[in-house]
Amino acid sequence: MPTTRAQRATAAVAAGAAATVLAPAFVGPAAPTKLNAVTSAPAPVAASAPASGVGAGASILGAGAAALAATAAVRPNKRCAKKDKVVRLATATEVDVDTECINAIRFLAVDAVNKANSGHPGAPMGQAPIGYLLFAEEMQYNPEDPKWVNRDRFVLSSGHGCMLQYSLLHLAGYDSVSIDDIKQFRQWGSKTPGHPENFETDGIEVTTGPLGMGISNAVGLAAAEAHLAAVYNKPGMELIDHYTYTIAGDGCMQEGISHEACAYAGHLGLGKLIAFYDDNGITIDGHTDLSFTEDVGKRFEAYGWQVLEVSEGNTDVDAIRKAIKEAKACTDKPTLIKVKTTIGFGSPNKADSHDAHGAPLGADEAEATRKQLGWNYGEFEVPDQVYDTFRKHAKAGSEKQAAWNKMFKEYQEKEPELAAQFKRAVMDRKLPENWADCLPKVTPEDKGKATRLHSQDCLNAIANVLPEFMGGSADLAPSNMTLMKCTGDFLKDSYSERNMRFGIREFGMGAVSNALSLDKTGIIPYCATFTIFTDYMRGAIRIAALSQAGSIFVTTHDSIAVGEDGPTHQPIETLPSLRLIPDLTVMRPADGNETAGAYKYAVERSKNESRPTMMAFSRQAVDNLPNSSIENTMKGAYEVIECEKPELILTIGTGSEVGLCVDAAKKLDGQVRVVSMPSCEVFRASWLWWAVVDSHVAQPDSYKSKLLPADVPKMSVEAEAEPEDRSIFGNW
């Protein structure tokens, strides 16, 4: 495996090879450079001989023998091969930096999973060559500034194999992942949790775990790059010029979300998106041919992707290099590189089986794997030359950032207006002063209309003052009223525009929108559909809340009042279930002012806090309320009909039902207070909590207790499911 980098390892001449080769006989393909031809034998064979001396820091290969094993199952017929495992042995003639670095990644993963007695060692062992090339050769990044705007993005879509990513971050020099952090893998409070979490560990772009989510996020990150490059780049001053890389596994390819997002990526022609398909043929159940036999490459070609293939991903590092070069040469299509790997590569007894997928190798198998791969280092021990290789490349990234900083100074001189916008919106990620003055205001005397129409007014007002505001609908723009009039469509030949045409792909749309926020370049993303169809993207909404993505989920047709569409389109349990998602704020405005207040809240929460908001708007017209205002909406709840000493608090109402409560209050005898509660999350948040984590000022407990006294009967009114037991309403 020749490398473009200087060889730092000393040649180790093997006097013999210690290995075990299992039947049946097989003649494999030619081995990569610096490896002898693959051999096999019909019966177990073991041989050993004294080793020749090696220089300090070089890899000492097993008990006096230099052996580099390439363990892979050969399955001309997968079903027949499940019982007949072939272990291919390649004997090293020289220890090179590629092999040393790749094996360091593998054994950090093996040791961490073993120590935790939990995790997934197999995927990192197979994916290690890909990760090595990305973090030691290809990617531009600076561990000292993980949020540098022009860094390359990396997403591990097969997030269960996160020890790959933690190992790479550690070797590259990120402070967020020390060797002690790796030893604390999967432990409570550690920076190395069981799946990558962007809010816990610097260097992690997005939270992955639900399969298919990561590659879909990668589409959003690549879309952000394309948009910002089109808006800001000038000849000789390319502020935004980076790639998005992702590694996805068989499970990602099976999940429906990957179909949605990857088809969208092909439609957009995102040429700086490079996805590696770790084709190892194993899932939890066993070999993938139990349930998955489609031609993934043909599928992606149909999406409009360039598809490349590396047939020996375990050892042929040069083939992966070549594929990356070809991928970068294709500028008008995303690229899928299908890399054939072996899960648990190097493990004599567990490679190419589900045993290596989701359980530790165990001490004995780890030791056997060390011998098989010629890794004579202890647990969590990394040779200096491995650190040197990764840190040298990281230093080059730091130098690239320094050059970028110099270029930006020139940009500020030549493009002062765009530079000021770039610094505010992208680098500082701040809103302009008094931006909310653009939001429309209404009075009770103004003619009522559907809150989806008020939403349209707000959205277009915001679009005029915030160039970082972008998004679209799942083929429902004329119904959701979410089309921005001041900009065109974000398409293959018009990346500078801001209306995203997601098509009928709610789940993929949600994941792409989350990534636009998690790109950390100041984009304020929104996406839209009918309220009932949030069920299609529930996983993306939940991940937005978990991973602190500032997505704004705009929904319309928010109740049974959708009328003739019938029960398939009527959200009944939808809003209550969304309110159960921690850290998701649900806003259901009752009129025009509350709609403006909801947008003010959502935009500021997205930009300032990177947190998601879900808004539900009506299809039917509603009257404008007395006392409604943007300021009252920001309280979460307020008096619509005031009453100093109420005998009954009617609602607490939301959305279109508030007007119903106002009408009912006029017909009731006695002292009645009507309260509108556009967001119960905003209202019930404690003052101390909001003061710490949110830019909005929460109301103190005294306000809450005065608005809703404990000793006064209350009725909540919202169009949801009718309970079978009406006694919960008491005597009201």
Side-chain angles (χ1 to χ4, degrees):
M1 294 179 287
T3 174
T4 58
R5 283 151 172 72
Q7 297 293 337
R8 284 185 288 230
T10 306
V13 181
T20 300
V21 184
L22 304 179
F26 167 75
V27 178
T33 308
K34 297 184 184 175
L35 296 181
N36 289 342
V38 175
T39 62
S40 64
V45 176
S48 62
S52 58
V54 293
S59 177
I60 305 171
L61 303 181
L68 179 65
T71 312
V74 180
R75 301 188 302 275
N77 182 320
K78 291 182 181 179
R79 292 190 181 276
C80 296
K82 291 174 188 173
K83 296 181 180 179
D84 298 325
K85 184 182 295 184
V86 175
V87 178
R88 293 184 286 161
L89 174 67
T91 306
T93 57
E94 182 179 344
V95 179
D96 64 277
V97 68
D98 290 346
T99 301
E100 195 92 316
C101 291
I102 290 166
N103 282 339
I105 297 166
R106 287 172 174 147
F107 283 100
L108 283 175
V110 168
D111 294 342
V113 173
N114 268 354
K115 186 175 186 299
N117 197 29
S118 175
H120 301 74
M125 296 170 75
Q127 296 168 357
I130 303 171
Y132 159 66
L133 287 177
L134 291 180
F135 276 77
E137 293 187 9
E138 292 293 339
M139 287 175 55
Q140 63 179 21
Y141 61 88
N142 181 7
E144 296 178 1
D145 185 5
K147 295 294 187 282
W148 174 36
V149 296
N150 202 37
R151 69 195 180 279
D152 284 338
R153 273 64 168 172
F154 173 73
V155 177
L156 184 64
S157 189
S158 49
H160 56 274
C162 54
M163 268 311 307
L164 172 78
Q165 195 163 11
Y166 298 146
S167 299
L168 293 169
L169 292 175
H170 168 67
L171 295 172
Y174 283 80
D175 290 340
S176 55
V177 185
S178 67
I179 194 68
D180 288 334
D181 291 318
I182 285 182
K183 292 177 182 178
Q184 291 300 307
F185 177 56
R186 284 190 164 226
Q187 304 307 298
W188 178 258
S190 77
K191 291 296 181 181
T192 50
H195 289 84
E197 296 175 0
N198 58 286
F199 53 92
E200 286 287 354
T201 313
D202 283 341
I204 305 293
E205 300 289 351
V206 299
T207 295
T208 59
L211 295 176
M213 186 71 72
I215 191 172
S216 303
N217 289 153
V219 174
L221 296 175
E225 193 276 344
H227 173 69
L228 294 173
V231 171
Y232 292 107
N233 287 357
K234 297 296 178 181
M237 296 182 292
E238 295 183 334
L239 296 183
I240 301 296
D241 181 17
H242 58 260
Y243 286 86
T244 299
Y245 300 93
T246 182
I247 298 177
D250 290 301
C252 298
M253 295 305 170
Q254 293 177 54
E255 287 287 358
I257 186 175
S258 68
H259 298 248
E260 295 183 20
C262 292
Y264 183 55
H267 173 71
L268 293 176
L270 297 173
K272 289 187 176 178
L273 172 60
I274 300 175
F276 296 87
Y277 168 28
D278 175 26
D279 181 17
N280 64 39
I282 294 291
T283 57
I284 292 175
D285 279 355
H287 287 273
T288 53
D289 65 345
L290 289 168
S291 60
F292 185 57
T293 53
E294 67 192 54
D295 189 327
V296 173
K298 293 295 184 184
R299 192 178 97 205
F300 273 73
E301 286 178 353
Y303 292 158
W305 289 54
Q306 174 183 230
V307 177
L308 307 174
E309 186 167 349
V310 175
S311 60
E312 177 48 76
N314 301 309
T315 56
D316 196 351
V317 179
D318 279 341
I320 303 174
R321 282 193 184 98
K322 180 183 177 183
I324 295 172
K325 185 177 180 180
E326 286 187 51
K328 288 185 172 182
C330 181
T331 59
D332 63 344
K333 294 180 180 180
T335 296
L336 179 75
I337 304 176
K338 183 180 178 182
V339 185
K340 192 63 182 174
T341 68
T342 301
I343 193 169
F345 175 81
S347 170
N349 301 300
K350 296 187 177 182
D352 191 44
S353 76
H354 68 273
D355 292 334
H357 174 80
L361 293 186
D364 292 343
E365 187 68 10
E367 182 60 28
T369 305
R370 277 177 157 79
K371 291 179 180 178
Q372 185 88 312
L373 293 181
W375 186 254
N376 274 18
Y377 297 97
E379 290 185 353
F380 303 105
E381 185 179 357
V382 179
D384 289 342
Q385 64 265 26
V386 172
Y387 283 120
D388 292 343
T389 300
F390 281 91
R391 304 295 165 87
K392 181 180 179 181
H393 186 68
K395 183 180 179 182
S398 176
E399 293 168 354
K400 287 181 180 179
Q401 184 174 0
W404 186 94
N405 291 338
K406 183 178 179 181
M407 177 182 62
F408 184 60
K409 289 183 179 179
E410 179 187 359
Y411 189 93
Q412 288 175 302
E413 295 172 359
K414 295 182 178 180
E415 300 285 345
E417 186 174 341
L418 268 180
Q421 177 178 299
F422 186 87
K423 189 173 189 310
R424 176 198 64 78
V426 178
M427 297 179 69
D428 297 339
R429 305 201 299 272
K430 292 182 178 179
L431 291 163
E433 291 186 10
N434 304 317
W435 75 271
D437 290 348
C438 73
L439 293 170
K441 300 176 179 63
V442 298
T443 68
E445 290 71 37
D446 291 327
K447 184 179 179 180
K449 59 184 180 181
T451 53
R452 65 170 173 163
L453 297 176
H454 288 300
S455 169
Q456 181 184 39
D457 295 340
C458 293
L459 188 146
N460 276 279
I462 294 168
N464 284 320
V465 300
L466 297 181
E468 63 265 47
F469 187 65
M470 68 183 299
S473 172
D475 196 54
L476 288 169
S479 294
N480 295 145
M481 306 295 177
T482 48
L483 201 65
M484 292 179 282
K485 300 174 182 177
C486 66
T487 184
D489 293 330
F490 176 80
L491 295 171
K492 187 172 184 176
D493 297 320
S494 53
Y495 289 144
S496 63
E497 308 298 336
R498 293 184 280 150
N499 282 309
M500 304 186 81
R501 302 291 191 167
F502 289 110
I504 308 166
R505 305 182 179 106
E506 280 88 357
F507 200 2
M509 173 180 72
V512 168
S513 297
N514 290 346
L516 292 175
S517 172
L518 294 174
D519 192 58
K520 299 304 179 188
T521 47
I523 293 174
I524 303 172
Y526 71 89
C527 61
T529 186
F530 287 172
T531 304
I532 188 64
F533 296 146
T534 58
D535 285 348
Y536 277 132
M537 61 175 176
R538 182 64 59 101
I541 296 173
R542 183 179 185 274
I543 286 292
L546 174 66
S547 64
Q548 300 174 10
S551 301
I552 300 174
F553 299 100
V554 179
T555 74
T556 66
H557 299 59
D558 69 342
S559 74
I560 59 172
V562 297
E564 64 274 6
D565 282 336
T568 60
H569 285 52
Q570 293 172 337
I572 302 300
E573 78 293 348
T574 309
L575 287 172
S577 66
L578 286 164
R579 292 188 181 116
L580 293 174
I581 298 176
D583 291 336
L584 175 69
T585 296
V586 177
M587 306 285 289
R588 189 171 181 238
D591 73 348
N593 289 331
E594 287 193 9
T595 301
Y599 268 99
K600 182 177 188 297
Y601 175 91
V603 167
E604 291 179 350
R605 194 169 197 244
S606 174
K607 189 76 169 186
N608 299 337
E609 310 298 336
S610 191
R611 303 273 182 158
T613 303
M614 184 269 180
M615 298 189 288
F617 299 113
S618 72
R619 179 195 188 194
Q620 75 276 23
V622 294
D623 292 332
N624 295 310
L625 303 171
N627 289 334
S628 73
S629 66
I630 292 175
E631 294 72 24
N632 277 338
T633 303
M634 302 291 280
K635 298 175 182 177
Y638 64 95
E639 281 186 279
V640 173
I641 298 212
E642 298 174 339
C643 180
E644 185 64 27
K645 295 182 179 181
E647 298 174 356
L648 171 67
I649 297 178
L650 188 58
T651 73
I652 308 134
T654 72
S656 54
E657 286 75 70
V658 177
L660 177 65
C661 293
V662 170
D663 292 340
K666 294 175 182 177
K667 298 180 179 181
L668 291 173
D669 294 330
Q671 298 285 84
V672 178
R673 174 184 294 171
V674 176
V675 171
S676 176
M677 186 175 284
S679 175
C680 57
E681 292 85 11
V682 174
F683 177 72
R684 71 184 176 211
S686 69
W687 184 86
L688 288 175
W689 184 85
W690 281 86
V692 172
V693 304
D694 201 282
S695 60
H696 305 102
V697 179
Q699 299 309 305
D701 289 341
S702 58
Y703 173 81
K704 300 175 189 176
S705 59
K706 183 178 180 180
L707 183 66
L708 301 175
D711 58 348
V712 178
K714 307 167 192 69
M715 176 181 287
S716 177
V717 180
E718 187 171 60
E720 297 170 6
E722 181 180 1
E724 294 182 8
D725 182 5
R726 293 171 175 262
S727 65
I728 64 170
F729 292 119
N731 296 321
W732 297 332

